[in-house]
Amino acid sequence: MVKKDKKSKTAEQKARVAAKQGKKAAQKEKKVKSKGAEDSDAEDIDLESVLAEYAKQQAQFLKVTETPCEPPTPRASATLIGSPSSAKELFLFGGEYYNGALATFFNDLFIYIIDKDQWRRVTSPNSPLPRSGHAWCRGGNAGGIYLFGGVIQIHIGPSEFSSPKQGTFYHYNDFWRLEPSSREWTRLETKGKGPPARSGHRMTYYKNYILLFGGFQDTSQQTKYLQDLWIYDCQNFVWHNPILPPASQKPDARSSFSFHPHDAGAVICGGYSRVKSITTAGKQNKGGSQGVRSILKPTVHQDTWFLRITQPPPEAPSTSPPSVRWERRKKPTNLPNPPRAGATMAYHKGRGILFGGVHDVEESEEGIDSEFFDTLFAWNIERNRYFQLTLRRPRAPPKKQVPNEHSSSKRGRGKAAEADLLRNLATLETKGSIADVDADAMEIDQQQNPTSNVDLAPPPPPKPEKPTLMTMPHPRFNAQLAVQEDTLYLFGGTYEHGDREYTFDEMHAIDLGKLDGVQEIYRREPENWQGSDDDEDDDEDDNDDSDSDEEMEDEIPSGVPLPRPEPSPQPTKPTDPDPFEPPEPLTITDTRPHPRPFESLRDFFTRTSTSWQESLLLHDSSSNNNNNKDAAITTPAAGKGVKEVRKEAFAVAEIMWWECREEVRALEDEQEEAGIGEVVAVGERGEGGVRRR
C-alpha cells in the first residue's frame, strides 16, 4: 500500500509539474506572439514615418525655388549666358565684389526674363559654392549648361566667403551641369582623371564634347598659367587629355582669352599672361659683365588658333577619344589698336562680338597709367578680320509717293485705265455691279486677314520704355557679354580711377542688326568706396596749381556718375601687318550668294532660297557618294523632308548674311552719303527698264 501511495503521489507530482510547465509554455508563447505582433506594428509604423520624414527632407533638400527680385548686386568675374532652352532668358551666376576693404563672393543664380523685363533669383541647396573666375558653356548636342572651376579667397572670420583682397586663394576643380528648364544643378562625378583646379580658363562645345583650355593657378606666392586641353565626352562621362606630339605647335599658356565653337572644332583668340623675361639689373661690373634678373612681364596675346577635331572612326570603341590638332592662323586683319587686355567677346553666328578692354600706356615708379576703351568690334571668324561697329541713327522710312493727276506719268494713267477696264469687263461678264465687285474684294481681304475686324483679347500691358542712348556704355574691362536673338547684352564690368576700383551696377542691350542705340535695362550708381585714398590725396596736393577742371576730375565723390575719359584717337587705317605674320589674303573665291545693300535677312533668303537648297542637296549627295562608294544610285538628302531642307537652308543663309553684315553696312553708308536709299536690280523690276525694251 505504501508503495502504491508513493507511486500515485509521484505520478500526481509529475502531472502537476507537466501541467505547470505546459501552462508556462502557453503563457510564454502567447506573450511572444503578442510581443511579436506589437513589435511588427511598431516596425511598420516606424518604417513609414522614417520613409515619410526622409522623403520630406529629400524634397526640401532638392527643392528649387524661383522668386522675382531686384537686379543683381554689382559683381565682377561672373558669367552670363543665353539659355539654350528659351530664347527669352539669360542666366547669371557667381562673381565677386570688392569695395576697397573686403572681397565678397557669390553663388546665386539669376535669370533675366527678356520679354517681361523681370529678374528672378533661383535658390537651391544643391548648387556650386561661391566663386569667381569660373567658366561655363552650352552643352551642344548634349543640351544644358556645363560649369567648371573658379576661385575663392579663404578667410576665417565673421564670414567664410569674404576676405581681404590679399588672402589665400582656393581654386575649384568641380564639374557641374545646369538644366535650364528646371533650374536644377547636378554635380558630375566623372570617370578617371579630370582637369586640375584653375580659374580664368574658357570652355566651349563641339558636337557631344565639352572643350576646356588654359587658365591659371594662383597660390598667393606665384601664378602659374596653363596651356593644357581637356575634352569631356558627354555620352561616356569621361575626360580626355589629348597628348600631342612633341614637335607639334600649340597656343602659349594664357587666361582670359576667347574660345568659340566651329563646325570643325573650335577657335582661340587673344588672352593675357605673364611671361618670364630676362632684364639687366644694376651697373656694369669691372669685368664688363652686368647683372641679369628674371621678371614676369605682362603679355597681351593677339594670335589666333584653330583646333581641328576629328571624331573616332565608327569601328573604334565607344570610349575612344577624338584626335585633335592645333593650327596657327595668320594674324587677323584690322586688329583693335592698341592691344588691350580684359576685352571680352561673345559668340554670335560665326562672329565674335568684342567690347571694352584696358591698355597700360605707361609704367613708372608711381604706377601704371591705363587707358580704357568703349569700342565695339565684330571678328569674322572665317575671314579672320575685325570690323568696328558704330551706332547708327535709325533711318526714316522712305516716303511713298501718292500718284495724282498732275504727278502721275502717262504710263501710270494708262495702267490705271487698263485696270479699270478689265474690272468693268469682269463685272459685266458675271452680270453683277461694281459695288458687288467691291464687296467681293472686301470679303477676300477679310479672309486673308481674319483678325482685322475681330475683337481680340486685350493685349498685355506694354513694358515701360527703356532709355536709349546714342553713345556706347562707359569704358570698362571684363564686362560680361551674351547674345540672345541677335541682341548683345552687356552686364557689369570694372573701371579704375586713381586707386579706386569701380564695379558697374548696370546692364545694357544693343541690337546687332540695327545698331540703332544702346538700351539701358537698368542702372544704379556705384556704391561707396571703402579703401584708402592716401595716394589720391597726395596727388591732389601735388597738383594744387592745376586747372579747376582737373581738380574736379580728381575729387570724385563716391556714389556719383563716373567721369568719361577723353576719347583716344582711333586709327583710321588698319594696323601695319607683322612682317613675320602676314595677314590672310582677301582674295574671295566664294561663289555662294551674298546679300545686297539694304536687303533684309528675309529678302535675302527669299531671293537665294533655291540656291541654298540646291547646295545642300549637292553636299548631301557627295557625302552619300563618299560613304557609299559601291552604291549604284544615290538619293540626295535621303530621309529629309522639304521643310527640313528649307530650315537648314535658312540657317546657312542666316550665317552668310551675318558674315557679310559689316561689309554690306559699309556699302550702305557710302550709298546713303551719295543719296541712294535703296538698291533694286534692274532685271528684277516688274516694269520698265531693259525687260520692257
Side-chain angles (χ1 to χ4, degrees):
M1 292 292 295
V2 176
K3 290 182 179 180
K4 286 184 178 181
D5 293 341
K6 287 182 178 180
K7 289 181 179 180
S8 62
K9 288 180 179 180
T10 304
E12 290 177 0
Q13 289 178 356
K14 290 181 177 180
R16 285 197 299 270
V17 170
K20 192 174 182 180
Q21 290 178 353
K23 188 177 180 181
K24 288 182 178 180
Q27 291 178 354
K28 187 176 182 181
E29 183 177 358
K30 185 178 179 181
K31 187 176 181 181
V32 170
K33 287 183 179 181
S34 62
K35 185 177 181 181
E38 292 177 0
D39 293 344
S40 178
D41 294 340
E43 288 180 3
D44 292 341
I45 295 173
D46 292 341
L47 181 60
E48 291 177 359
S49 62
V50 167
L51 291 176
E53 185 66 21
Y54 176 77
K56 183 179 179 181
Q57 293 178 359
Q58 191 72 4
Q60 189 68 23
F61 175 75
L62 298 176
K63 185 178 180 181
V64 178
T65 60
E66 183 176 333
T67 56
C69 65
E70 293 295 321
T73 56
R75 60 196 63 199
S77 301
T79 48
L80 182 71
I81 194 173
S83 173
S85 61
S86 173
K88 302 296 183 181
E89 294 179 347
L90 295 173
F91 289 89
L92 176 73
F93 176 77
E96 63 173 298
Y97 176 70
Y98 179 63
N99 63 357
L102 293 177
T104 305
F105 292 79
F106 306 97
N107 71 330
D108 39 12
L109 176 66
F110 288 92
I111 302 175
Y112 178 63
I113 311 299
I114 299 174
D115 55 345
K116 297 181 180 180
D117 188 27
Q118 185 184 72
W119 286 93
R120 296 179 182 176
R121 182 176 181 178
V122 178
T123 57
S124 172
N126 186 32
S127 62
L129 293 175
R131 66 191 66 201
S132 68
H134 51 282
W136 66 2
C137 69
R138 298 189 178 193
N141 296 344
I145 300 174
Y146 290 81
L147 179 146
F148 181 87
V151 65
I152 190 175
Q153 290 175 294
I154 303 299
H155 171 66
I156 302 176
S159 175
E160 183 181 357
F161 303 116
S162 61
S163 65
K165 187 163 187 178
Q166 293 183 352
T168 302
F169 293 96
Y170 176 78
H171 292 265
Y172 295 100
N173 66 341
D174 49 352
F175 192 38
W176 296 80
R177 184 183 187 275
L178 173 64
E179 179 57 42
S181 56
S182 63
R183 327 312 198 191
E184 292 183 1
W185 287 100
T186 303
R187 180 164 182 172
L188 302 179
E189 301 294 340
T190 59
K191 305 174 184 178
K193 184 181 178 181
R198 67 189 67 199
S199 64
H201 52 290
R202 294 293 182 266
M203 298 169 60
T204 189
Y205 61 89
Y206 172 74
K207 298 186 182 298
N208 291 321
Y209 301 106
I210 302 297
L211 312 178
L212 184 150
F213 179 80
F216 67 92
Q217 295 174 341
D218 195 336
T219 61
S220 298
Q221 285 81 23
Q222 63 177 356
T223 302
K224 178 183 178 183
Y225 288 87
L226 307 172
Q227 61 177 155
D228 51 345
L229 173 68
W230 292 83
I231 302 177
Y232 178 73
D233 190 339
C234 297
Q235 293 181 337
N236 298 306
F237 313 105
V238 62
W239 282 102
H240 299 291
N241 181 213
I243 305 300
L244 302 176
S248 63
Q249 56 181 355
K250 60 180 179 179
D252 296 331
R254 66 190 69 192
S255 69
S256 303
F257 52 93
S258 300
F259 203 17
H260 298 310
H262 190 271
D263 292 339
V267 290
I268 276 182
C269 172
Y272 175 86
S273 67
R274 291 179 176 268
V275 181
K276 286 186 178 181
S277 177
I278 298 177
T279 60
T280 58
K283 297 181 180 180
Q284 188 172 359
N285 299 330
K286 293 182 179 180
S289 62
Q290 194 171 10
V292 296
R293 62 188 180 95
S294 177
I295 62 172
L296 292 177
K297 182 180 180 181
T299 301
V300 177
H301 299 274
Q302 292 186 294
D303 52 348
T304 59
W305 293 78
F306 174 61
L307 177 65
R308 188 176 298 278
I309 302 178
T310 305
Q311 291 185 298
E315 61 273 9
S318 60
T319 57
S320 299
S323 59
V324 300
R325 185 176 77 251
W326 286 106
E327 300 176 3
R328 185 186 181 97
R329 304 185 71 185
K330 294 182 180 180
K331 186 175 181 179
T333 307
N334 198 25
L335 271 169
N337 190 32
R340 56 202 66 181
T344 49
M345 185 182 290
Y347 179 75
H348 173 241
K349 296 178 180 176
R351 308 184 304 167
I353 308 300
L354 180 143
F355 178 79
V358 59
H359 174 67
D360 297 332
V361 296
E362 182 179 352
E363 185 173 359
S364 61
E365 296 179 356
E366 298 179 355
I368 300 176
D369 294 333
S370 301
E371 181 183 4
F372 297 86
F373 301 94
D374 61 351
T375 48
L376 187 68
F377 287 88
W379 176 45
N380 191 310
I381 296 177
E382 289 294 335
R383 305 184 185 184
N384 201 17
R385 184 182 180 91
Y386 281 88
F387 299 89
Q388 184 172 352
L389 305 181
T390 56
L391 299 178
R392 301 151 48 101
R393 294 194 178 275
R395 295 194 302 265
K399 296 181 180 179
K400 295 183 179 180
Q401 297 181 355
V402 180
N404 50 52
E405 295 181 359
H406 300 285
S407 61
S408 59
S409 62
K410 294 181 180 179
R411 182 181 301 172
R413 291 197 299 270
K415 288 191 64 178
E418 184 180 358
D420 291 339
L421 179 61
L422 293 175
R423 186 161 168 254
N424 293 333
L425 288 175
T427 303
L428 294 175
E429 289 177 359
T430 56
K431 296 181 180 181
S433 63
I434 297 178
D436 296 335
V437 177
D438 293 337
D440 294 339
M442 292 177 62
E443 183 179 357
I444 293 174
D445 181 72
Q446 179 67 24
Q447 293 177 359
Q448 294 178 351
N449 302 283
T451 61
S452 58
N453 295 324
V454 180
D455 294 334
L456 300 176
K463 296 187 298 182
E465 290 292 333
K466 299 289 185 180
T468 301
L469 312 175
M470 290 310 298
T471 57
M472 287 292 180
H474 195 283
R476 68 195 69 192
F477 68 98
N478 286 344
Q480 310 306 316
L481 305 182
V483 178
Q484 194 75 305
E485 285 197 326
D486 303 332
T487 300
L488 173 70
Y489 293 90
L490 191 152
F491 175 85
T494 306
Y495 177 76
E496 296 175 354
H497 183 79
D499 289 341
R500 296 186 180 184
E501 181 179 300
Y502 296 92
T503 301
F504 288 96
D505 190 6
E506 59 190 26
M507 185 171 178
H508 298 87
I510 302 175
D511 189 330
L512 295 176
K514 300 178 181 178
L515 292 176
D516 54 353
V518 179
Q519 188 182 44
E520 189 178 274
I521 297 177
Y522 79 92
R523 183 177 184 272
R524 295 179 298 219
E525 297 300 335
E527 297 181 1
N528 292 334
W529 178 259
Q530 299 181 11
S532 174
D533 295 336
D534 295 340
D535 296 338
E536 201 167 328
D537 296 338
D538 295 340
D539 294 339
E540 293 177 2
D541 295 338
D542 295 337
N543 299 327
D544 288 338
D545 298 333
S546 60
D547 296 334
S548 59
D549 293 340
E550 295 178 355
E551 291 177 358
M552 290 292 293
E553 189 177 17
D554 290 337
E555 298 174 356
I556 301 174
S558 301
V560 298
L562 298 177
R564 180 173 289 271
E566 293 295 332
S568 59
Q570 296 293 334
T572 57
K573 297 181 180 180
T575 57
D576 295 334
D578 190 343
F580 300 100
E581 291 185 6
E584 294 185 10
L586 298 179
T587 55
I588 299 176
T589 59
D590 194 355
T591 59
R592 297 175 297 175
H594 286 67
R596 298 169 178 170
F598 306 104
E599 186 175 40
S600 65
L601 175 59
R602 180 177 180 179
D603 296 338
F604 172 60
F605 180 68
T606 302
R607 178 174 62 86
T608 61
S609 174
T610 304
S611 301
W612 294 114
Q613 294 183 47
E614 291 177 354
S615 176
L616 287 174
L617 293 177
L618 291 175
H619 180 269
D620 292 340
S621 176
S622 62
S623 300
N624 291 335
N625 288 333
N626 293 333
N627 297 331
N628 304 315
K629 294 182 179 180
D630 299 333
I633 299 177
T634 303
T635 303
K640 293 184 179 180
V642 177
K643 291 184 177 180
E644 187 176 358
V645 174
R646 185 176 176 85
K647 184 178 180 181
E648 293 182 2
F650 178 78
V652 178
E654 184 180 21
I655 293 176
M656 171 59 72
W657 191 84
W658 282 107
E659 283 185 359
C660 302
R661 191 73 197 110
E662 281 67 44
E663 293 97 326
V664 173
R665 184 178 285 114
L667 292 176
E668 292 174 355
D669 293 340
E670 293 177 0
Q671 293 177 4
E672 280 187 342
E673 291 179 359
I676 303 174
E678 185 178 3
V679 176
V680 179
V682 176
E684 295 180 0
R685 294 174 63 98
E687 60 181 20
V690 178
R691 297 182 62 183
R692 192 69 180 176
R693 298 192 182 100

